[in-house]
Amino acid sequence: MSLFLFVLKRVGRGLLTLWFAVTVTFLLLRLLPGDPALAVANPNMTRETRAALLTQYGLEESLPVQYVKYLWQLLQGNLGISFHQNTEVTTVLMERLPWTLLLAASSLLVTVVVGIPLGVLAASRRGGLWDRFVQIVAVTGQSLFVPSLGILLLYVFGLQLNWFPIGGAYTDGTYGGEWYLSVISHLVLPCLSLVFAQLGAYVLTMRSSLIDALGEDYVVLANANGLPARRVLWKHALRNALLPTTTLVGLQLGFVVGGAVLIETVYAYPGIGRGIYEAVTQLDFPVLQGAFLLLAVTVVAVNMITDIAYGILDPRVKAAS
């Protein structure tokens, strides 16, 4: 299969996935208990005013009509108007997006920087004390529920030791360098919660891939030729072992996004996740639809790019497609 057809096929799958995600989100939100009209209509309004307001938001129309109109708005780049804030959804999301990006990017960076060396350490000392310790830490992190871990860190390091702030993204009234330090201090606990929860996947994948690479013929030949063990490990074996771990970065993005939604709620962090929680309590359909669409686009795009990159790096994947 040519590279063009391979890429075209992956893009088509990505667009189909997005349409499916948009449709499922639209239908599921309509199944939420409660009346979304209460979010836009005051009980003290006259019947005529209430009807006009519901007509403005299209809430009096049938479900198929609402769905078609919603798809048409999306094609025009219009995410609608927030019921609760009476503001464009795009504006609402763009105010929160930088905080979620900061949290997700910092946690992903720390996870990769810590996870890969730990995986290498475990593989290079297979069966030893360090290997067992690293595996225990990795499996423990994967077994914990993200909000529970967040609450635990919040209680120990925020309330008991008072080392870090317990909520928000920065301290009001700070400016300049003090503001940046405040942002970092508020970021530490949410970031650590996500790092510890996803670290195990990177450590175990790196360990498994490197153990397989160390058993390959070219590594055995390099050792037989008298090359230093450290050079064989870091220059020859690690290069091939990194491919599955690199792919994991894209695949784990969905976990990072889902974890960020939960962690932002625990720490009252003003990102997209916290916005989703608030929109659910307010039955603010446009904000929920816009937030889920934004998260879906991000996950699908990164996975599609990772899939294409993997196919380019490993021709066997492209040939099998």
Side-chain angles (χ1 to χ4, degrees):
M1 180 183 295
S2 67
L3 178 60
F4 175 76
L5 290 178
F6 176 75
V7 173
L8 187 63
K9 189 175 181 179
R10 291 302 187 271
V11 172
R13 287 181 182 177
L15 293 177
L16 183 62
T17 303
L18 279 180
W19 170 79
F20 182 76
V22 166
T23 302
V24 170
T25 299
F26 178 88
L27 294 175
L28 287 179
L29 291 180
R30 269 66 187 176
L31 296 177
L32 287 175
D35 183 5
L38 296 177
V40 297
N42 190 316
N44 297 324
M45 288 181 177
T46 62
R47 181 176 301 177
E48 293 76 14
T49 303
R50 185 177 187 276
L53 192 57
L54 294 181
T55 300
Q56 176 184 344
Y57 286 100
L59 294 176
E60 87 294 349
E61 297 172 330
S62 64
L63 196 61
V65 174
Q66 291 186 45
Y67 176 68
V68 172
K69 285 189 174 182
Y70 175 58
L71 290 182
W72 178 245
Q73 286 180 340
L74 288 183
L75 292 176
Q76 295 176 318
N78 180 11
L79 298 181
I81 304 295
S82 168
F83 291 166
H84 186 73
Q85 303 180 48
N86 197 27
T87 307
E88 289 188 359
V89 172
T90 304
T91 302
V92 175
L93 296 180
M94 288 303 103
E95 291 177 352
R96 293 179 174 272
L97 181 60
W99 297 112
T100 296
L101 290 178
L102 177 62
L103 175 59
S106 59
S107 65
L108 189 60
L109 177 62
V110 173
T111 302
V112 171
V113 170
V114 175
I116 291 178
L118 283 179
V120 172
L121 176 65
S124 63
R125 302 184 182 183
R126 182 182 181 185
L129 181 62
W130 272 109
D131 182 25
R132 295 176 184 176
F133 174 75
V134 169
Q135 288 188 69
I136 290 174
V137 173
V139 173
T140 301
Q142 287 187 307
S143 304
L144 292 176
F145 186 44
V146 176
S148 300
L149 177 61
I151 293 173
L152 176 63
L153 294 179
L154 183 66
Y155 176 77
V156 174
F157 297 102
L159 292 176
Q160 294 298 316
L161 299 178
N162 198 27
W163 288 359
F164 301 102
I166 61 174
Y170 57 90
T171 303
D172 292 333
T174 55
Y175 304 94
E178 186 180 353
W179 183 83
Y180 287 104
L181 290 176
S182 174
V183 169
I184 293 174
S185 65
H186 282 77
L187 181 65
V188 170
L189 291 182
C191 180
L192 286 180
S193 301
L194 283 179
V195 167
F196 194 64
Q198 62 180 320
L199 185 64
Y202 288 87
V203 172
L204 297 178
T205 300
M206 185 72 252
R207 177 185 180 276
S208 177
S209 300
L210 189 56
I211 288 175
D212 291 341
L214 289 172
E216 294 290 339
D217 292 339
Y218 67 92
V219 175
V220 175
L221 180 60
N223 288 323
N225 288 332
L227 292 179
R230 183 179 297 273
R231 182 179 179 184
V232 173
L233 174 66
W234 290 97
K235 186 176 181 180
H236 297 282
L238 182 60
R239 180 179 300 177
N240 290 319
L242 276 175
L243 189 58
T245 307
T246 303
T247 306
L248 185 65
V249 174
L251 298 178
Q252 279 287 102
L253 182 64
F255 175 85
V256 174
V257 170
V261 172
L262 299 173
I263 286 299
E264 287 178 4
T265 302
V266 170
Y267 289 96
Y269 200 76
I272 299 292
R274 179 69 180 180
I276 290 176
Y277 169 78
E278 294 174 354
V280 168
T281 61
Q282 299 160 356
L283 290 179
D284 199 335
F285 285 179
V287 172
L288 285 173
Q289 291 171 163
F292 286 134
L293 175 62
L294 179 61
L295 297 180
V297 168
T298 303
V299 173
V300 170
V302 172
N303 279 275
M304 185 171 59
I305 292 172
T306 303
D307 200 14
I308 293 173
Y310 196 96
I312 295 174
L313 294 173
D314 190 346
R316 293 172 298 179
V317 176
K318 184 171 62 175
S321 300

